[in-house]
C-alpha cells in the first residue's frame, strides 16, 4: 500500500487517483480556515512555490472535525485563495478521525502515528510522503512548515523528480 492507492475528491467534486503524483514528494495536510494555525497556509504556499519545480506537491484537505472550518470544501478553498494566496490543490471537506474518517487519512495515521496514537490531534497535522508514496514524517500542528525544509530538501536530493 501507498498513498497512490487512494482516490480523493477536489473541492469542485471531481475525483482523481493520487497515483498521478507518483514519483513526487507530497505534503498532505488537514486544514481549517478559522484555526489559529491558518497562517500556515501562507507558509505551505511558500514551500509549494519554492519547490514545485523540483516536484513537490502540497495537498490541502479541509476538515471541520475541530469546528474551525467553513460550510464546505469549495468555500474553504475560496477562503484559502483570497486570504492566504493558496494555489496548491484543495479538496472536499473530510473527517480525519472516527469511523467516518477519510481512508487516505486512516492510512497516513497508521503509517505515522502521532502523540495520540493514530488520532489526528488538531488542524494542520502535516504528513511528508516520498516519491514512492510512503509516509516518511509526520509533523504536529504547531510545527511550522519552514521546519519541514531540511526533510523536504533531503527527499528532493534523493531522486530526480
Amino acid at each position: 500500500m501507498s498513498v497512490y492507492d487512494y482516490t480523493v475528491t477536489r473541492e469542485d467534486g471531481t475525483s482523481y487517483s493520487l497515483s498521478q503524483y507518483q514519483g513526487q514528494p507530497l505534503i498532505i495536510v488537514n486544514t481549517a480556515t478559522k484555526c489559529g494555525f491558518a497562517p500556515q497556509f501562507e507558509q505551505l504556499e511558500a514551500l509549494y512555490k519554492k519547490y514545485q519545480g523540483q516536484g513537490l506537491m502540497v495537498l490541502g484537505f479541509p476538515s471541520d472535525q475541530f469546528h474551525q472550518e467553513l460550510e464546505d470544501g469549495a468555500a474553504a478553498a475560496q477562503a484559502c485563495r483570497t486570504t492566504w494566496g493558496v494555489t496548491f490543490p484543495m479538496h472536499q471537506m473530510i473527517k480525519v478521525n472516527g469511523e467516518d474518517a477519510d481512508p487516505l487519512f486512516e492510512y497516513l495515521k497508521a503509517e505515522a502515528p502521532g502523540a495520540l496514537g493514530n488520532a489526528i490531534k488538531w488542524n494542520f497535522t502535516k504528513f511528508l510522503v516520498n516519491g514512492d508514496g510512503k509516509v516518511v514524517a509526520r509533523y504536529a500542528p504547531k510545527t511550522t512548515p519552514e521546519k519541514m525544509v531540511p526533510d523536504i530538501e533531503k527527499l528532493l536530493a534523493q531522486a530526480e523528480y
Side-chain angles (χ1 to χ4, degrees):
M1 291 287 296
S2 77
V3 297
Y4 303 137
D5 296 312
Y6 294 90
T7 298
V8 295
T9 306
R10 288 187 178 91
E11 67 193 77
D12 66 4
T14 59
S15 295
Y16 69 98
S17 171
L18 289 178
S19 65
Q20 80 176 46
Y21 299 121
Q22 199 153 353
Q24 294 179 254
L26 307 171
I27 296 172
I28 300 174
V29 56
N30 67 304
T31 65
T33 55
K34 298 188 286 183
C35 178
F37 292 123
Q40 288 189 23
F41 278 121
E42 196 169 62
Q43 300 163 19
L44 288 163
E45 178 66 17
L47 289 179
Y48 178 59
K49 284 185 175 170
K50 180 175 182 178
Y51 295 109
Q52 74 179 26
Q54 297 174 56
L56 180 70
M57 179 57 68
V58 177
L59 304 173
F61 290 85
S63 177
D64 194 34
Q65 193 108 46
F66 306 106
H67 312 291
Q68 295 186 314
E69 189 52 277
L70 299 174
E71 63 273 6
D72 60 42
Q78 184 59 38
C80 292
R81 285 188 190 86
T82 57
T83 306
W84 305 106
V86 166
T87 62
F88 57 79
M90 293 295 294
H91 296 81
Q92 291 264 323
M93 191 89 68
I94 62 162
K95 291 190 177 191
V96 295
N97 291 321
E99 59 184 54
D100 294 331
D102 185 85
L104 171 63
F105 275 79
E106 286 294 315
Y107 171 77
L108 294 169
K109 294 183 302 183
E111 292 296 304
L116 298 177
N118 278 359
I120 298 282
K121 181 178 178 181
W122 201 248
N123 304 307
F124 290 91
T125 298
K126 296 162 287 293
F127 295 89
L128 185 60
V129 177
N130 70 15
D132 295 325
K134 301 295 183 187
V135 180
V136 295
R138 176 178 176 157
Y139 304 89
K142 67 181 179 179
T143 302
T144 62
E146 287 91 1
K147 293 192 175 166
M148 299 171 66
V149 167
D151 293 335
I152 292 167
E153 289 181 346
K154 182 178 172 186
L155 275 185
L156 292 171
Q158 288 175 352
E160 286 188 35
Y161 295 100

